[in-house]
Amino acid sequence: MRGNNLVTKSNNLIETPLKLGVVEMRIIIVLISTLSPNDDDFKPYRFKISEFAKMIGVKNKNIHQQIKDYTYSLMSQPFYLHDNLQVTWLASAEYFPGEGVVEVEFSPKLKPYLLQLKEKFTTYRLIDIIKLKSAYAMRIYELLKQYERIGSRTFTVQRLKELLGIEDQYPVYADFKKRVLVKAQQEINKHTDISFSFEEMKTGRKITEIKFLLTSKSADAKSSVLNHPDKPAGARHHTSSRLRQQLKEEFGLQAKAIDQVLAQYDKNYIAENLEVVRSDAKRGRIKDIPAYTMSALKTDYRKKRSGLEEEQLATQQAKQIGIDLMESYIQELSQQVQQHIISLSPQQLEQELEGLKYSVRTLGIEIVDDEILDPFSESGGYFIQYIQKKYFKDYTFELYCEQQTDLD
């Protein structure tokens, strides 16, 4: 197990309320980091108990019993997915005392949420979450990491508590802020690849919503247009899936209403009216956001433009769509390359490393073996380029654009 392993989860799984302690959370993400997202099915996964205990922060003398207790807990705490599926994380955990090994298997019903993920998933490095000391910080990190390229995310206080599994705790907001939000902020800002601040929004005198403002420490994400939430919505590339997510999570519409909106209105029309709703909400003009949103779409709250303004906007949108598509293509290509790398067996990894060294032999480039799985190191960067050219040369920008047209 390496700290640079990637953790890839379906967004639906991340959005599921969970009641787990910090060690249980660490166990799950360490196990997920050993999966190959390209696998067709789960298989038994074996670990040295001593190595496993060190990774998840178990330091007691009787680490074997401690690990047993935690895996038993994960097998005896079911949770819900989509209100209809009740499932546990692990199907089994078998110990081999003479070998100092534990063998675990994921519950088969989790397969659609961890394997063969083609869309609506989030990937992050194990090293960016494993150092966090509270389960709250780990969950908030995942929930915000999904929106890193967007730059902000808003929750109602009640919904955030539900997702953290503490809906019945901290009835006084000041306690919730001090013990959950501020502590998570300190940990995430110090140890991970993102940082955040947050704004509190009130209904009357009561704080009812939290808006998180995200900053990425990654150079690639910092350059993204999507990291600037104040950019006019009309200047972004809009897809049905993105609008559906916004209408549900940010504007509070139910599934039936969302289906109606997407079927009735043009995507740019929807996005531009949503920007008006956002602006009015910031000014405190809205009491019922879902109702106001539906009224905006029905009536068209957009500022009327002249013919010249419409033409200029269309030109701006066309340019921005091209930029956004290219950025999305680069991100998708990067994710596919990373997933390919983590799917390599030790023998395959060694073969690819030798191929990389051979390819740069005349360039005076030194490849450090221990750094090839770190995408932020020089050797890791060369390794990514090598794998990309070798296996993904046919995955062109033109092909990606065709795929997006089919999805829309």
Side-chain angles (χ1 to χ4, degrees):
M1 291 175 288
R2 295 172 177 265
N4 287 319
N5 281 7
L6 298 180
V7 180
T8 301
K9 286 185 178 183
S10 158
N11 288 343
N12 286 332
L13 185 55
I14 291 177
E15 294 293 326
T16 298
L18 294 175
K19 294 184 178 181
L20 294 176
V22 63
V23 176
E24 293 165 329
M25 278 284 295
R26 286 175 179 165
I27 289 175
I28 293 303
I29 62 171
V30 167
L31 293 179
I32 293 175
S33 76
T34 66
L35 300 177
S36 170
N38 294 322
D39 285 347
D40 292 324
D41 211 341
F42 290 131
K43 57 187 178 182
Y45 301 93
R46 282 195 164 210
F47 305 94
K48 282 285 187 181
I49 293 178
S50 57
E51 181 184 353
F52 192 60
K54 182 178 179 181
M55 179 68 79
I56 64 175
V58 173
K59 300 178 181 179
N60 295 358
K61 292 182 179 180
N62 192 354
I63 58 173
H64 288 235
Q65 186 58 48
Q66 286 287 305
I67 299 297
K68 281 186 177 182
D69 291 343
Y70 284 120
T71 54
Y72 184 85
S73 175
L74 288 168
M75 293 172 64
S76 58
Q77 291 189 60
F79 60 96
Y80 280 96
L81 278 166
H82 299 307
D83 296 326
N84 298 319
L85 173 60
Q86 193 177 39
V87 65
T88 58
W89 285 101
L90 302 181
S92 66
E94 185 174 1
Y95 292 82
F96 301 87
E99 303 175 44
V101 168
V102 57
E103 180 180 277
V104 299
E105 287 189 82
F106 279 102
S107 295
K109 289 288 186 178
L110 292 175
K111 176 182 170 182
Y113 305 94
L114 295 173
L115 298 180
Q116 291 292 325
L117 301 175
K118 304 301 182 185
E119 60 179 10
K120 298 180 181 179
F121 62 89
T122 298
T123 298
Y124 54 83
R125 296 191 307 166
L126 177 62
I127 196 172
D128 283 319
I129 195 172
I130 199 69
K131 294 179 182 179
L132 300 179
K133 297 180 181 179
S134 77
Y136 304 147
M138 297 173 82
R139 288 289 289 133
I140 290 175
Y141 171 81
E142 288 187 327
L143 292 165
L144 297 184
K145 184 69 175 176
Q146 292 181 88
Y147 283 65
E148 179 180 13
R149 293 179 66 84
I150 296 175
S152 67
R153 184 168 191 186
T154 301
F155 298 94
T156 66
V157 173
Q158 185 58 32
R159 177 57 178 166
L160 182 56
K161 286 184 176 181
E162 289 173 0
L163 290 170
L164 299 179
I166 54 173
E167 59 269 34
D168 298 324
Q169 299 181 40
Y170 306 114
V172 178
Y173 173 78
D175 293 335
F176 174 68
K177 177 179 179 179
K178 177 181 178 182
R179 299 176 185 177
V180 178
L181 294 180
V182 173
K183 284 190 175 181
Q185 181 184 35
Q186 292 170 345
E187 290 189 40
I188 290 171
N189 290 2
K190 179 178 180 181
H191 294 297
T192 77
D193 57 340
I194 61 174
S195 60
F196 73 86
S197 58
F198 60 91
E199 298 175 355
E200 300 163 329
M201 292 176 277
K202 295 182 177 180
T203 301
R205 295 184 177 181
K206 184 178 180 180
I207 295 173
T208 55
E209 291 186 312
I210 305 294
K211 181 176 183 179
F212 293 88
L213 304 174
L214 312 179
T215 301
S216 174
K217 301 174 187 176
S218 162
D220 290 340
K222 282 180 180 177
S223 66
S224 170
V225 175
L226 296 179
N227 256 344
H228 300 282
D230 292 331
K231 179 174 285 295
R236 301 175 187 164
H237 175 55
H238 306 293
T239 64
S240 296
S241 59
R242 178 180 295 175
L243 287 173
R244 182 178 294 277
Q245 186 177 33
Q246 289 177 342
L247 289 166
K248 177 183 177 181
E249 297 180 1
E250 186 176 352
F251 297 91
L253 299 191
Q254 298 299 313
K256 185 176 181 180
I258 294 172
D259 290 339
Q260 176 186 343
V261 166
L262 293 176
Q264 187 172 353
Y265 303 110
D266 173 76
K267 286 177 284 188
N268 280 333
Y269 173 89
I270 296 171
E272 290 169 7
N273 271 289
L274 293 185
E275 191 65 26
V276 176
V277 176
R278 285 193 190 95
S279 178
D280 289 349
K282 288 180 180 179
R283 295 182 174 92
R285 297 177 178 177
I286 305 175
K287 292 184 179 180
D288 187 336
I289 291 180
Y292 193 88
T293 300
M294 292 300 294
S295 177
L297 292 168
K298 182 178 181 180
T299 309
D300 190 1
Y301 284 4
R302 299 174 301 171
K303 176 185 176 183
K304 300 303 180 183
R305 303 185 183 94
S306 66
L308 177 60
E309 288 175 329
E310 289 287 355
E311 184 177 343
Q312 290 173 337
L313 178 62
T315 301
Q316 178 188 6
Q317 288 176 348
K319 291 180 180 179
Q320 192 61 54
I321 286 172
I323 294 171
D324 287 348
L325 274 173
M326 178 57 75
E327 289 178 344
S328 298
Y329 162 70
I330 293 171
Q331 182 185 32
E332 174 65 20
L333 177 60
S334 175
Q335 289 176 339
Q336 290 195 26
V337 172
Q338 288 288 355
Q339 288 175 9
H340 179 84
I341 290 173
I342 64 176
S343 72
L344 297 173
S345 67
Q347 294 79 10
Q348 292 171 325
L349 188 63
E350 184 64 30
Q351 291 174 359
E352 298 294 2
L353 175 58
E354 291 304 314
L356 169 64
K357 290 179 178 178
Y358 183 80
S359 71
V360 300
R361 67 192 185 285
T362 61
L363 303 178
I365 296 173
E366 180 181 359
I367 301 298
V368 181
D369 293 10
D370 291 341
E371 293 182 359
I372 63 165
L373 292 180
D374 181 359
F376 297 101
S377 70
E378 183 176 7
S379 296
Y382 281 118
F383 189 56
I384 288 172
Q385 292 178 22
Y386 172 75
I387 294 296
Q388 180 177 320
K389 290 179 181 178
K390 184 174 181 180
Y391 294 102
F392 296 91
K393 61 181 180 181
D394 294 330
Y395 187 60
T396 62
F397 178 59
E398 289 74 16
L399 177 61
Y400 176 78
C401 291
E402 290 177 7
Q403 293 174 345
Q404 297 308 302
T405 301
D406 293 340
L407 288 175
D408 289 349

